[in-house]
């Protein structure tokens, strides 16, 4: 269960970035895994082939858009790179992330610049969430189990947010594909 080295980045313009990754699942549309990269920066001029969502476990970096706008991120942040994004990566301290990629057919973002979105860990605080017990956006009615959530990104087939619930059980009424990164507690899913 180790990351596989991909060696040095071929197109770096500062530092000596080397990355390593491990794919955890791949069903042809949805992939998930882990990635590590040492310090360095590089241009990313080719449009991203899929929408990527990642959670930063450690490290600090910046993703730039094609017009130079900068999006800084660090531990605990969620980053969304929409399909079609171009720009650059700068890794300022070694980054370790877990990622999920949604390979949808169309570029859903509109406008001349496709922007990265960073949702910082403080936006996951309880006062930033909305009570969704009677109509949970992920699971419908969670019955007597208190739940709360907030959606940060909802474009095309990709929806990203944060969700929490009190201990309990309930039946899931939606059959959408979902990726979880459990930050606290335990979750058991049966089929």
């Amino acid at each position: 269960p180790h990351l596989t080295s991909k060696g040095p980045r071929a197109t770096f313009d500062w530092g000596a970035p080397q990355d390593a990754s491990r794919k955890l699942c791949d069903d042809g549309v949805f992939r998930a895994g882990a990635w590590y990269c040492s310090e360095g920066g590089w241009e990313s001029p080719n449009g991203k082939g899929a929408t990527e969502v990642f959670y930063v476990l450690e490290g600090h970096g910046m993703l730039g858009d094609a017009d130079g706008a900068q999006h800084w991120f660090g531990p605990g942040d969620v980053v969304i790179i929409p399909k079609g994004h171009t720009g650059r990566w700068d890794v300022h301290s070694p980054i370790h992330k877990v990622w999920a990629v949604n390979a949808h057919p169309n570029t859903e973002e509109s406008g001349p610049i496709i922007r990265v979105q960073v949702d910082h860990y403080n936006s996951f605080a309880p006062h930033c969430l909305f009570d969704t017990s009677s109509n949970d956006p992920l699971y419908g009615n969670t019955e007597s189990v208190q739940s709360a959530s907030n959606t940060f990104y909802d474009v095309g087939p990709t929806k990203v947010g944060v969700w929490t619930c009190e201990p309990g059980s309930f039946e899931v009424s939606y059959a959408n594909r979902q990726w979880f990164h459990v930050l606290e507690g335990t979750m058991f899913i049966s089929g």
Side-chain angles (χ1 to χ4, degrees), residues 34-35 54-59 74-77 94-98 181 183:
W35 183 77
F54 65 84
Y55 179 81
V56 183
L57 297 168
E58 63 183 350
D77 293 342
I95 290 175
H96 187 193
K97 69 179 185 175
V98 289
H181 179 78
L183 300 178

Side-chain angles (χ1 to χ4, degrees), residues 128-153:
C128 298
L129 306 181
F130 305 99
D131 182 0
T132 56
S133 300
S134 64
N135 188 22
D136 189 283
L138 290 177
Y139 304 115
N141 184 350
T142 57
E143 300 162 8
S144 61
V145 179
Q146 284 293 115
S147 68
S149 66
N150 194 0
T151 300
F152 304 121
Y153 182 87

Side-chain angles (χ1 to χ4, degrees), residues 48-52 81-85 103-109 114:
K48 188 151 187 74
T51 296
E52 178 180 351
I81 310 173
K83 180 176 182 167
H85 178 266
H104 50 89
N106 299 317
T107 299
E108 305 292 343
E109 295 283 339
I114 296 176

Side-chain angles (χ1 to χ4, degrees), residues 9 11 42-50 63-66 81-89 107 114:
R9 302 257 346 160
T11 60
W42 60 92
E43 294 291 328
S44 193
N46 300 321
K48 188 151 187 74
L63 276 160
D65 295 333
I81 310 173
K83 180 176 182 167
H85 178 266
T86 61
R88 72 171 288 115
W89 272 88
T107 299
I114 296 176

Side-chain angles (χ1 to χ4, degrees), residues 92-121:
H92 294 282
S93 64
I95 290 175
H96 187 193
K97 69 179 185 175
V98 289
W99 53 266
V101 171
N102 182 11
H104 50 89
N106 299 317
T107 299
E108 305 292 343
E109 295 283 339
S110 60
I113 304 295
I114 296 176
R115 301 217 178 272
V116 163
Q117 181 174 321
V118 176
D119 295 299
H120 300 289
Y121 68 93

Side-chain angles (χ1 to χ4, degrees), residues 22-25 29-35 48 50-55 78-82 97-104 158-160 177-181:
R22 178 171 184 227
K23 193 180 298 181
L24 299 172
C25 72
V29 174
F30 180 82
R31 297 185 313 275
W35 183 77
K48 188 151 187 74
T51 296
E52 178 180 351
V53 178
F54 65 84
Y55 179 81
V78 171
V79 180
I80 301 126
I81 310 173
K97 69 179 185 175
V98 289
W99 53 266
V101 171
N102 182 11
H104 50 89
T158 307
K159 188 172 192 173
V160 179
R177 176 180 286 133
Q178 298 173 8
W179 177 69
F180 290 96
H181 179 78

Side-chain angles (χ1 to χ4, degrees), residues 9-22:
R9 302 257 346 160
T11 60
F12 70 92
D13 52 28
W14 72 270
Q18 296 203 29
D19 59 340
S21 65
R22 178 171 184 227

